[in-house]
Amino acid sequence: MLKFAIAKGRITKDSKELLTCCGFDMEEVNSSRKLILYNADETISLILLKAGDIPLYVANGAVDIGLVGKDTVLENDLDVYELTELDFAKCTLCVAGPKEKVSLKNGVRIATKYPELTKKFTKRRGIVAEIITLSGSIELAPLIHLSDCIVDLVQTGETLRENDLIVYEEILSIAPMIIANKVSYRTKSSEVDAFINICERFGK
Amino acid sequence: MKNKGKQERNLSENRGLAFESVIQELRKENLVQLFTPTVIDFSLYEKYVHVAHQNQIVKLSAPNGIVKALRYDSTISMIASNQVHSDDKFFYIEPQFAYDFDNLKIMETTQLGVEFIEGQSDHISSFEKCILLAKSLADLLCTGEYQIEVSHTDLVDTLTRDIELDLKSTNDLKHYISRKNERKVLDVLEKNQVDPLIQNRLLELSRIRASVTELTSNENSFDFPNEINEWLSKMMTLNLNINQPLVIDFTSSYRLTYYKGNVFKVYDMTSHKEIISGGEYCFKAYGVRGCGFSIKL
């Protein structure tokens, strides 16, 4: 049986066609409080996890494959295979801040949920920045002067606009990614390949 | 609850039995057991430890004033320790922590390391000894089928050598090949305007995971560089000598950066676990060359 991890929430909603095609009952997926569900022929078990934990479960072999945002994979940088990206729920990792643009220079304070990606960005730009790691409501940070700007995911830009923030710079495009445990890739290769074929058909 | 306790005891007993049978097999092959922890000259050790972590090392002062460091086992410290030079094949046992998701707890697992240190012997013979021994241990540890996969640390360099890229693009390309991220591999190649024929060839070669018999057969349609053909030929000889099918993966990456040369892994196809991992190494600083592997028990 292939163990497949997915995060509850936005990705699950966008993945419903994929999950239906894999034989999962979406009513059960949406309404059940169970964290492990099975498809109709019990060839795939669906494990519902916190998004940030998926790469760890995959890297350690507790699950064989995971569907998780590229932002989470790159931020954690764990030892997994990145088999494919899907073409839905796309967004962009951006630097954003107040409309009176803050210049990105040495000493700038950047609030983010992605300290590693932000560090790589500032290193590429040659900026020494103070990176403030938050777990949520990142847009609030520059509004109450915790930071000068933020690095966060932007999809439609609505949240930024509503908080009088603008995008300064796009860093990276983000999409859901299928990652695989390196051992499962080998020992369950036919199941993994079959699953990837389904994903690539429905992700486009 | 009672059943769970019984299951835990069975798992522990089975692991204990497997461990004992492996130790017996190693002694039968005349490998000497070296014991941990070891004491190593701090001056030899400090270059391998990040400066931020050096204050965590337990240091001792020897009567002659030399600073020694206390370490649990590792390939580097075992080779550098005085005990090593009197033996050319040995094993040691090193505790490490791992997550046991089946039993929902963190557990201390035992990793067993085996080393064959070379004198003037031909480089391939230690690798063959290692794989032969790993094969006999896999026979003890696996209830069903297992797979031996071989690769070489220089293969990705060989595959990408003729593609002219700047340093950053080369490093990105190798990184994405090792992550099997084909989309990003193509992005790097397209961004650098690499010929589409070369792009397709690289992707085709990096996807290969096949038996050495298939790859060296006359029906094989792959156009490999000469070095890869020569290496495949050696692997075919090894395949015949050890009487075990070998699977080739050109882009298998190994996190231990001190491996240099042939590397291998053994996968238990029933439990879906990697059980043995190893390869050749050369520590010029110590004048030591060898081949070793570790087993998670």
Side-chain angles (χ1 to χ4, degrees), chain A residues 78 82 85 182 186-187, chain B residues 149 179 181 249 253 267 272:
Chain A
L78 292 172
E82 300 164 1
E85 283 181 34
K182 289 184 161 185
R186 288 160 165 81
T187 63
Chain B
E149 176 190 282
R179 303 278 280 196
N181 190 331
D249 186 322
S253 69
Y267 297 100
H272 303 287

Side-chain angles (χ1 to χ4, degrees), chain B residues 192-209:
Chain B
N192 285 274
Q193 297 171 318
V194 172
D195 187 304
L197 281 174
I198 297 176
Q199 289 181 30
N200 288 335
R201 183 168 174 268
L202 179 61
L203 275 181
E204 206 181 36
L205 292 177
S206 63
R207 276 177 201 146
I208 289 175
R209 193 162 185 277

Side-chain angles (χ1 to χ4, degrees), chain B residues 40-229:
Chain B
I40 180 174
D41 278 359
F42 179 63
S43 61
L44 292 172
Y45 180 26
E46 64 178 331
K47 61 185 87 160
Y48 296 102
V49 180
H50 193 284
V51 65
H53 299 146
Q54 287 189 8
N55 62 349
Q56 294 169 14
I57 299 169
V58 175
K59 300 186 201 68
L60 311 163
S61 292
N64 58 6
I66 292 177
V67 177
K68 301 278 190 183
L70 188 67
R71 281 206 62 194
Y72 270 117
D73 223 316
S74 81
T75 305
I76 292 166
S77 72
M78 287 313 298
I79 287 166
S81 75
N82 291 334
Q83 288 174 289
V84 167
H85 301 302
S86 58
D87 304 296
D88 62 0
K89 50 183 183 179
F90 56 90
F91 71 97
Y92 50 88
I93 297 160
E94 174 183 0
Q96 61 169 220
F97 292 106
Y99 293 100
D100 179 3
F101 287 102
D102 290 333
N103 294 299
L104 301 172
K105 60 183 183 181
I106 297 171
M107 55 184 256
E108 185 176 296
T109 58
T110 303
Q111 177 175 282
L112 191 149
V114 173
E115 312 292 343
F116 287 85
I117 303 298
E118 289 177 5
Q120 300 301 311
S121 60
D122 180 75
H123 213 56
I124 194 72
S125 69
S126 289
F127 188 63
E128 187 169 319
K129 283 178 206 166
C130 261
I131 290 215
L132 265 170
L133 183 54
K135 181 176 171 244
S136 60
L137 297 179
D139 285 332
L140 292 171
L141 293 168
C142 299
T143 53
E145 205 186 313
Y146 59 86
Q147 194 177 79
I148 303 181
E149 176 190 282
V150 292
S151 189
H152 194 287
T153 53
D154 293 342
L155 284 176
V156 173
D157 282 343
T158 307
L159 291 178
T160 57
R161 182 188 54 204
D162 294 331
I163 302 173
E164 285 181 13
L165 299 172
D166 57 61
L167 184 60
K168 184 182 180 308
S169 298
T170 303
N171 289 338
D172 285 347
L173 184 66
K174 289 179 189 174
H175 171 76
Y176 293 128
I177 287 173
S178 73
R179 303 278 280 196
K180 299 211 184 286
N181 190 331
E182 289 192 1
R183 185 183 284 213
K184 292 301 289 185
V185 166
L186 275 175
D187 279 352
V188 172
L189 295 173
E190 280 168 6
K191 192 172 137 192
N192 285 274
Q193 297 171 318
V194 172
D195 187 304
L197 281 174
I198 297 176
Q199 289 181 30
N200 288 335
R201 183 168 174 268
L202 179 61
L203 275 181
E204 206 181 36
L205 292 177
S206 63
R207 276 177 201 146
I208 289 175
R209 193 162 185 277
S211 72
V212 67
T213 315
E214 280 174 67
L215 295 177
T216 52
S217 77
N218 290 330
E219 283 87 44
N220 157 39
S221 60
F222 293 109
D223 173 27
F224 295 128
N226 287 340
E227 295 98 313
I228 290 185
N229 277 325

